[in-house]
Amino acid sequence: MPPDLLRPDIVVPVLMYCALLWWVGRSLSWTARLATAAVTFALIICVVLVERGWR
């Protein structure tokens, strides 16, 4: 894995999003959990692309 992907400014938000997803998803059905996970990971990808300048 390239060292660029292991930078703390990328890893920490991803871990925090996963923790938030777990916290919110505890009372949701499985389909709602999957939808929430898909939206969350799409937001993560958008944030990373914007921070990197669409390279």
PDB file of all heavy atoms in Angstrom, residues 18-48:
ATOM      1  N   CYS A  18     -16.520   5.589  10.353  1.00  0.00           N
ATOM      2  CA  CYS A  18     -16.922   4.211  10.657  1.00  0.00           C
ATOM      3  C   CYS A  18     -17.488   4.094  12.075  1.00  0.00           C
ATOM      4  O   CYS A  18     -18.474   3.395  12.299  1.00  0.00           O
ATOM      5  CB  CYS A  18     -15.743   3.262  10.476  1.00  0.00           C
ATOM      6  SG  CYS A  18     -15.269   3.051   8.758  1.00  0.00           S
ATOM      7  N   ALA A  19     -16.871   4.775  13.031  1.00  0.00           N
ATOM      8  CA  ALA A  19     -17.372   4.754  14.402  1.00  0.00           C
ATOM      9  C   ALA A  19     -18.752   5.409  14.490  1.00  0.00           C
ATOM     10  O   ALA A  19     -19.652   4.902  15.168  1.00  0.00           O
ATOM     11  CB  ALA A  19     -16.391   5.466  15.330  1.00  0.00           C
ATOM     12  N   LEU A  20     -18.929   6.524  13.786  1.00  0.00           N
ATOM     13  CA  LEU A  20     -20.228   7.189  13.771  1.00  0.00           C
ATOM     14  C   LEU A  20     -21.275   6.304  13.100  1.00  0.00           C
ATOM     15  O   LEU A  20     -22.410   6.199  13.573  1.00  0.00           O
ATOM     16  CB  LEU A  20     -20.119   8.532  13.048  1.00  0.00           C
ATOM     17  CG  LEU A  20     -21.396   9.349  12.954  1.00  0.00           C
ATOM     18  CD1 LEU A  20     -21.876   9.755  14.330  1.00  0.00           C
ATOM     19  CD2 LEU A  20     -21.156  10.585  12.103  1.00  0.00           C
ATOM     20  N   LEU A  21     -20.895   5.646  12.028  1.00  0.00           N
ATOM     21  CA  LEU A  21     -21.803   4.742  11.339  1.00  0.00           C
ATOM     22  C   LEU A  21     -22.229   3.608  12.260  1.00  0.00           C
ATOM     23  O   LEU A  21     -23.402   3.236  12.311  1.00  0.00           O
ATOM     24  CB  LEU A  21     -21.131   4.190  10.082  1.00  0.00           C
ATOM     25  CG  LEU A  21     -21.920   3.193   9.256  1.00  0.00           C
ATOM     26  CD1 LEU A  21     -23.165   3.858   8.691  1.00  0.00           C
ATOM     27  CD2 LEU A  21     -21.054   2.646   8.143  1.00  0.00           C
ATOM     28  N   TRP A  22     -21.303   3.055  13.022  1.00  0.00           N
ATOM     29  CA  TRP A  22     -21.632   1.991  13.968  1.00  0.00           C
ATOM     30  C   TRP A  22     -22.586   2.510  15.038  1.00  0.00           C
ATOM     31  O   TRP A  22     -23.567   1.858  15.387  1.00  0.00           O
ATOM     32  CB  TRP A  22     -20.352   1.446  14.612  1.00  0.00           C
ATOM     33  CG  TRP A  22     -20.665   0.467  15.695  1.00  0.00           C
ATOM     34  CD1 TRP A  22     -21.004  -0.849  15.550  1.00  0.00           C
ATOM     35  CD2 TRP A  22     -20.694   0.738  17.097  1.00  0.00           C
ATOM     36  NE1 TRP A  22     -21.242  -1.409  16.766  1.00  0.00           N
ATOM     37  CE2 TRP A  22     -21.059  -0.458  17.738  1.00  0.00           C
ATOM     38  CE3 TRP A  22     -20.454   1.878  17.857  1.00  0.00           C
ATOM     39  CZ2 TRP A  22     -21.176  -0.543  19.114  1.00  0.00           C
ATOM     40  CZ3 TRP A  22     -20.571   1.778  19.231  1.00  0.00           C
ATOM     41  CH2 TRP A  22     -20.928   0.591  19.851  1.00  0.00           C
ATOM     42  N   TRP A  23     -22.308   3.687  15.569  1.00  0.00           N
ATOM     43  CA  TRP A  23     -23.134   4.262  16.631  1.00  0.00           C
ATOM     44  C   TRP A  23     -24.558   4.513  16.150  1.00  0.00           C
ATOM     45  O   TRP A  23     -25.518   4.182  16.828  1.00  0.00           O
ATOM     46  CB  TRP A  23     -22.496   5.558  17.129  1.00  0.00           C
ATOM     47  CG  TRP A  23     -23.247   6.181  18.261  1.00  0.00           C
ATOM     48  CD1 TRP A  23     -24.114   7.221  18.192  1.00  0.00           C
ATOM     49  CD2 TRP A  23     -23.206   5.788  19.630  1.00  0.00           C
ATOM     50  NE1 TRP A  23     -24.609   7.507  19.427  1.00  0.00           N
ATOM     51  CE2 TRP A  23     -24.071   6.648  20.330  1.00  0.00           C
ATOM     52  CE3 TRP A  23     -22.515   4.803  20.318  1.00  0.00           C
ATOM     53  CZ2 TRP A  23     -24.268   6.538  21.699  1.00  0.00           C
ATOM     54  CZ3 TRP A  23     -22.709   4.697  21.684  1.00  0.00           C
ATOM     55  CH2 TRP A  23     -23.572   5.550  22.365  1.00  0.00           C
ATOM     56  N   VAL A  24     -24.699   5.105  14.971  1.00  0.00           N
ATOM     57  CA  VAL A  24     -26.026   5.407  14.434  1.00  0.00           C
ATOM     58  C   VAL A  24     -26.737   4.130  14.011  1.00  0.00           C
ATOM     59  O   VAL A  24     -27.943   3.983  14.195  1.00  0.00           O
ATOM     60  CB  VAL A  24     -25.903   6.379  13.244  1.00  0.00           C
ATOM     61  CG1 VAL A  24     -27.215   6.525  12.497  1.00  0.00           C
ATOM     62  CG2 VAL A  24     -25.415   7.732  13.718  1.00  0.00           C
ATOM     63  N   GLY A  25     -25.987   3.174  13.483  1.00  0.00           N
ATOM     64  CA  GLY A  25     -26.576   1.970  12.921  1.00  0.00           C
ATOM     65  C   GLY A  25     -27.036   0.940  13.912  1.00  0.00           C
ATOM     66  O   GLY A  25     -27.641  -0.064  13.529  1.00  0.00           O
ATOM     67  N   ARG A  26     -26.805   1.170  15.192  1.00  0.00           N
ATOM     68  CA  ARG A  26     -27.192   0.160  16.174  1.00  0.00           C
ATOM     69  C   ARG A  26     -28.696  -0.057  16.221  1.00  0.00           C
ATOM     70  O   ARG A  26     -29.144  -1.159  16.500  1.00  0.00           O
ATOM     71  CB  ARG A  26     -26.703   0.549  17.576  1.00  0.00           C
ATOM     72  CG  ARG A  26     -25.201   0.544  17.684  1.00  0.00           C
ATOM     73  CD  ARG A  26     -24.746   0.835  19.081  1.00  0.00           C
ATOM     74  NE  ARG A  26     -25.387   2.048  19.586  1.00  0.00           N
ATOM     75  CZ  ARG A  26     -25.566   2.296  20.878  1.00  0.00           C
ATOM     76  NH1 ARG A  26     -25.161   1.448  21.774  1.00  0.00           N
ATOM     77  NH2 ARG A  26     -26.149   3.421  21.263  1.00  0.00           N
ATOM     78  N   SER A  27     -29.482   0.967  15.973  1.00  0.00           N
ATOM     79  CA  SER A  27     -30.935   0.823  16.074  1.00  0.00           C
ATOM     80  C   SER A  27     -31.621   0.760  14.707  1.00  0.00           C
ATOM     81  O   SER A  27     -32.836   0.869  14.635  1.00  0.00           O
ATOM     82  CB  SER A  27     -31.509   1.989  16.881  1.00  0.00           C
ATOM     83  OG  SER A  27     -31.228   3.204  16.228  1.00  0.00           O
ATOM     84  N   LEU A  28     -30.856   0.598  13.634  1.00  0.00           N
ATOM     85  CA  LEU A  28     -31.428   0.562  12.291  1.00  0.00           C
ATOM     86  C   LEU A  28     -31.572  -0.869  11.791  1.00  0.00           C
ATOM     87  O   LEU A  28     -30.865  -1.773  12.239  1.00  0.00           O
ATOM     88  CB  LEU A  28     -30.533   1.337  11.317  1.00  0.00           C
ATOM     89  CG  LEU A  28     -30.349   2.827  11.580  1.00  0.00           C
ATOM     90  CD1 LEU A  28     -29.368   3.404  10.579  1.00  0.00           C
ATOM     91  CD2 LEU A  28     -31.660   3.563  11.520  1.00  0.00           C
ATOM     92  N   SER A  29     -32.459  -1.069  10.824  1.00  0.00           N
ATOM     93  CA  SER A  29     -32.570  -2.373  10.177  1.00  0.00           C
ATOM     94  C   SER A  29     -31.359  -2.582   9.264  1.00  0.00           C
ATOM     95  O   SER A  29     -30.596  -1.655   8.994  1.00  0.00           O
ATOM     96  CB  SER A  29     -33.859  -2.443   9.362  1.00  0.00           C
ATOM     97  OG  SER A  29     -33.786  -1.548   8.272  1.00  0.00           O
ATOM     98  N   TRP A  30     -31.220  -3.804   8.768  1.00  0.00           N
ATOM     99  CA  TRP A  30     -30.046  -4.102   7.929  1.00  0.00           C
ATOM    100  C   TRP A  30     -30.060  -3.323   6.628  1.00  0.00           C
ATOM    101  O   TRP A  30     -29.023  -2.874   6.151  1.00  0.00           O
ATOM    102  CB  TRP A  30     -29.957  -5.604   7.649  1.00  0.00           C
ATOM    103  CG  TRP A  30     -29.295  -6.311   8.783  1.00  0.00           C
ATOM    104  CD1 TRP A  30     -29.888  -7.091   9.725  1.00  0.00           C
ATOM    105  CD2 TRP A  30     -27.908  -6.269   9.120  1.00  0.00           C
ATOM    106  NE1 TRP A  30     -28.945  -7.531  10.617  1.00  0.00           N
ATOM    107  CE2 TRP A  30     -27.727  -7.047  10.273  1.00  0.00           C
ATOM    108  CE3 TRP A  30     -26.795  -5.638   8.553  1.00  0.00           C
ATOM    109  CZ2 TRP A  30     -26.488  -7.229  10.873  1.00  0.00           C
ATOM    110  CZ3 TRP A  30     -25.552  -5.813   9.160  1.00  0.00           C
ATOM    111  CH2 TRP A  30     -25.412  -6.599  10.290  1.00  0.00           C
ATOM    112  N   THR A  31     -31.226  -3.135   6.033  1.00  0.00           N
ATOM    113  CA  THR A  31     -31.271  -2.373   4.785  1.00  0.00           C
ATOM    114  C   THR A  31     -30.953  -0.907   5.029  1.00  0.00           C
ATOM    115  O   THR A  31     -30.266  -0.280   4.224  1.00  0.00           O
ATOM    116  CB  THR A  31     -32.653  -2.511   4.118  1.00  0.00           C
ATOM    117  OG1 THR A  31     -33.667  -2.159   5.060  1.00  0.00           O
ATOM    118  CG2 THR A  31     -32.893  -3.918   3.619  1.00  0.00           C
ATOM    119  N   ALA A  32     -31.423  -0.365   6.146  1.00  0.00           N
ATOM    120  CA  ALA A  32     -31.097   1.024   6.477  1.00  0.00           C
ATOM    121  C   ALA A  32     -29.609   1.160   6.791  1.00  0.00           C
ATOM    122  O   ALA A  32     -28.986   2.164   6.454  1.00  0.00           O
ATOM    123  CB  ALA A  32     -31.941   1.501   7.658  1.00  0.00           C
ATOM    124  N   ARG A  33     -29.028   0.151   7.428  1.00  0.00           N
ATOM    125  CA  ARG A  33     -27.582   0.169   7.707  1.00  0.00           C
ATOM    126  C   ARG A  33     -26.778   0.175   6.413  1.00  0.00           C
ATOM    127  O   ARG A  33     -25.796   0.904   6.283  1.00  0.00           O
ATOM    128  CB  ARG A  33     -27.182  -1.038   8.541  1.00  0.00           C
ATOM    129  CG  ARG A  33     -27.561  -0.946   9.970  1.00  0.00           C
ATOM    130  CD  ARG A  33     -27.046  -2.121  10.733  1.00  0.00           C
ATOM    131  NE  ARG A  33     -27.660  -2.188  12.053  1.00  0.00           N
ATOM    132  CZ  ARG A  33     -27.311  -3.050  12.965  1.00  0.00           C
ATOM    133  NH1 ARG A  33     -26.378  -3.940  12.729  1.00  0.00           N
ATOM    134  NH2 ARG A  33     -27.904  -3.035  14.139  1.00  0.00           N
ATOM    135  N   LEU A  34     -27.188  -0.659   5.462  1.00  0.00           N
ATOM    136  CA  LEU A  34     -26.472  -0.717   4.181  1.00  0.00           C
ATOM    137  C   LEU A  34     -26.604   0.595   3.420  1.00  0.00           C
ATOM    138  O   LEU A  34     -25.626   1.075   2.834  1.00  0.00           O
ATOM    139  CB  LEU A  34     -26.996  -1.881   3.338  1.00  0.00           C
ATOM    140  CG  LEU A  34     -26.637  -3.272   3.847  1.00  0.00           C
ATOM    141  CD1 LEU A  34     -27.311  -4.334   2.982  1.00  0.00           C
ATOM    142  CD2 LEU A  34     -25.138  -3.475   3.854  1.00  0.00           C
ATOM    143  N   ALA A  35     -27.780   1.196   3.444  1.00  0.00           N
ATOM    144  CA  ALA A  35     -27.966   2.481   2.768  1.00  0.00           C
ATOM    145  C   ALA A  35     -27.131   3.564   3.435  1.00  0.00           C
ATOM    146  O   ALA A  35     -26.490   4.376   2.763  1.00  0.00           O
ATOM    147  CB  ALA A  35     -29.440   2.864   2.781  1.00  0.00           C
ATOM    148  N   THR A  36     -27.110   3.573   4.764  1.00  0.00           N
ATOM    149  CA  THR A  36     -26.308   4.546   5.501  1.00  0.00           C
ATOM    150  C   THR A  36     -24.827   4.344   5.224  1.00  0.00           C
ATOM    151  O   THR A  36     -24.083   5.317   5.051  1.00  0.00           O
ATOM    152  CB  THR A  36     -26.581   4.433   7.013  1.00  0.00           C
ATOM    153  OG1 THR A  36     -27.985   4.566   7.231  1.00  0.00           O
ATOM    154  CG2 THR A  36     -25.847   5.489   7.790  1.00  0.00           C
ATOM    155  N   ALA A  37     -24.389   3.098   5.154  1.00  0.00           N
ATOM    156  CA  ALA A  37     -22.980   2.807   4.859  1.00  0.00           C
ATOM    157  C   ALA A  37     -22.618   3.284   3.457  1.00  0.00           C
ATOM    158  O   ALA A  37     -21.555   3.877   3.248  1.00  0.00           O
ATOM    159  CB  ALA A  37     -22.719   1.315   4.994  1.00  0.00           C
ATOM    160  N   ALA A  38     -23.494   3.050   2.487  1.00  0.00           N
ATOM    161  CA  ALA A  38     -23.217   3.475   1.113  1.00  0.00           C
ATOM    162  C   ALA A  38     -23.110   4.990   1.025  1.00  0.00           C
ATOM    163  O   ALA A  38     -22.179   5.519   0.392  1.00  0.00           O
ATOM    164  CB  ALA A  38     -24.305   2.957   0.185  1.00  0.00           C
ATOM    165  N   VAL A  39     -24.031   5.698   1.669  1.00  0.00           N
ATOM    166  CA  VAL A  39     -23.986   7.161   1.643  1.00  0.00           C
ATOM    167  C   VAL A  39     -22.745   7.676   2.358  1.00  0.00           C
ATOM    168  O   VAL A  39     -22.068   8.591   1.884  1.00  0.00           O
ATOM    169  CB  VAL A  39     -25.271   7.748   2.273  1.00  0.00           C
ATOM    170  CG1 VAL A  39     -25.152   9.233   2.513  1.00  0.00           C
ATOM    171  CG2 VAL A  39     -26.469   7.436   1.395  1.00  0.00           C
ATOM    172  N   THR A  40     -22.414   7.069   3.488  1.00  0.00           N
ATOM    173  CA  THR A  40     -21.234   7.493   4.258  1.00  0.00           C
ATOM    174  C   THR A  40     -19.962   7.311   3.441  1.00  0.00           C
ATOM    175  O   THR A  40     -19.128   8.223   3.376  1.00  0.00           O
ATOM    176  CB  THR A  40     -21.142   6.707   5.571  1.00  0.00           C
ATOM    177  OG1 THR A  40     -22.330   6.922   6.327  1.00  0.00           O
ATOM    178  CG2 THR A  40     -19.937   7.149   6.385  1.00  0.00           C
ATOM    179  N   PHE A  41     -19.802   6.167   2.826  1.00  0.00           N
ATOM    180  CA  PHE A  41     -18.582   5.924   2.063  1.00  0.00           C
ATOM    181  C   PHE A  41     -18.532   6.783   0.793  1.00  0.00           C
ATOM    182  O   PHE A  41     -17.451   7.183   0.366  1.00  0.00           O
ATOM    183  CB  PHE A  41     -18.422   4.439   1.753  1.00  0.00           C
ATOM    184  CG  PHE A  41     -18.075   3.645   2.982  1.00  0.00           C
ATOM    185  CD1 PHE A  41     -18.865   2.598   3.389  1.00  0.00           C
ATOM    186  CD2 PHE A  41     -16.982   3.976   3.759  1.00  0.00           C
ATOM    187  CE1 PHE A  41     -18.564   1.880   4.524  1.00  0.00           C
ATOM    188  CE2 PHE A  41     -16.667   3.261   4.902  1.00  0.00           C
ATOM    189  CZ  PHE A  41     -17.463   2.212   5.285  1.00  0.00           C
ATOM    190  N   ALA A  42     -19.671   7.091   0.216  1.00  0.00           N
ATOM    191  CA  ALA A  42     -19.691   8.008  -0.924  1.00  0.00           C
ATOM    192  C   ALA A  42     -19.239   9.403  -0.484  1.00  0.00           C
ATOM    193  O   ALA A  42     -18.478  10.072  -1.203  1.00  0.00           O
ATOM    194  CB  ALA A  42     -21.087   8.070  -1.534  1.00  0.00           C
ATOM    195  N   LEU A  43     -19.677   9.835   0.691  1.00  0.00           N
ATOM    196  CA  LEU A  43     -19.228  11.127   1.220  1.00  0.00           C
ATOM    197  C   LEU A  43     -17.729  11.127   1.496  1.00  0.00           C
ATOM    198  O   LEU A  43     -17.043  12.116   1.240  1.00  0.00           O
ATOM    199  CB  LEU A  43     -20.004  11.476   2.487  1.00  0.00           C
ATOM    200  CG  LEU A  43     -21.449  11.896   2.290  1.00  0.00           C
ATOM    201  CD1 LEU A  43     -22.144  12.057   3.631  1.00  0.00           C
ATOM    202  CD2 LEU A  43     -21.522  13.183   1.497  1.00  0.00           C
ATOM    203  N   ILE A  44     -17.221  10.021   2.029  1.00  0.00           N
ATOM    204  CA  ILE A  44     -15.777   9.912   2.282  1.00  0.00           C
ATOM    205  C   ILE A  44     -15.013  10.068   0.979  1.00  0.00           C
ATOM    206  O   ILE A  44     -14.024  10.811   0.898  1.00  0.00           O
ATOM    207  CB  ILE A  44     -15.436   8.568   2.958  1.00  0.00           C
ATOM    208  CG1 ILE A  44     -15.981   8.542   4.385  1.00  0.00           C
ATOM    209  CG2 ILE A  44     -13.926   8.318   2.966  1.00  0.00           C
ATOM    210  CD1 ILE A  44     -15.901   7.183   5.040  1.00  0.00           C
ATOM    211  N   ILE A  45     -15.456   9.385  -0.062  1.00  0.00           N
ATOM    212  CA  ILE A  45     -14.778   9.460  -1.362  1.00  0.00           C
ATOM    213  C   ILE A  45     -14.831  10.879  -1.917  1.00  0.00           C
ATOM    214  O   ILE A  45     -13.832  11.393  -2.430  1.00  0.00           O
ATOM    215  CB  ILE A  45     -15.395   8.439  -2.337  1.00  0.00           C
ATOM    216  CG1 ILE A  45     -15.038   7.023  -1.893  1.00  0.00           C
ATOM    217  CG2 ILE A  45     -14.945   8.693  -3.760  1.00  0.00           C
ATOM    218  CD1 ILE A  45     -15.784   5.938  -2.617  1.00  0.00           C
ATOM    219  N   CYS A  46     -15.985  11.524  -1.775  1.00  0.00           N
ATOM    220  CA  CYS A  46     -16.104  12.908  -2.259  1.00  0.00           C
ATOM    221  C   CYS A  46     -15.168  13.843  -1.517  1.00  0.00           C
ATOM    222  O   CYS A  46     -14.499  14.679  -2.131  1.00  0.00           O
ATOM    223  CB  CYS A  46     -17.539  13.390  -2.111  1.00  0.00           C
ATOM    224  SG  CYS A  46     -18.675  12.614  -3.260  1.00  0.00           S
ATOM    225  N   VAL A  47     -15.090  13.701  -0.209  1.00  0.00           N
ATOM    226  CA  VAL A  47     -14.204  14.561   0.588  1.00  0.00           C
ATOM    227  C   VAL A  47     -12.754  14.341   0.194  1.00  0.00           C
ATOM    228  O   VAL A  47     -11.990  15.293   0.018  1.00  0.00           O
ATOM    229  CB  VAL A  47     -14.421  14.312   2.094  1.00  0.00           C
ATOM    230  CG1 VAL A  47     -13.326  14.950   2.927  1.00  0.00           C
ATOM    231  CG2 VAL A  47     -15.771  14.837   2.518  1.00  0.00           C
ATOM    232  N   VAL A  48     -12.350  13.097   0.038  1.00  0.00           N
ATOM    233  CA  VAL A  48     -10.964  12.802  -0.337  1.00  0.00           C
ATOM    234  C   VAL A  48     -10.656  13.362  -1.721  1.00  0.00           C
ATOM    235  O   VAL A  48      -9.583  13.941  -1.944  1.00  0.00           O
ATOM    236  CB  VAL A  48     -10.691  11.282  -0.267  1.00  0.00           C
ATOM    237  CG1 VAL A  48      -9.355  10.929  -0.892  1.00  0.00           C
ATOM    238  CG2 VAL A  48     -10.733  10.808   1.179  1.00  0.00           C
TER     239      VAL A  48
END
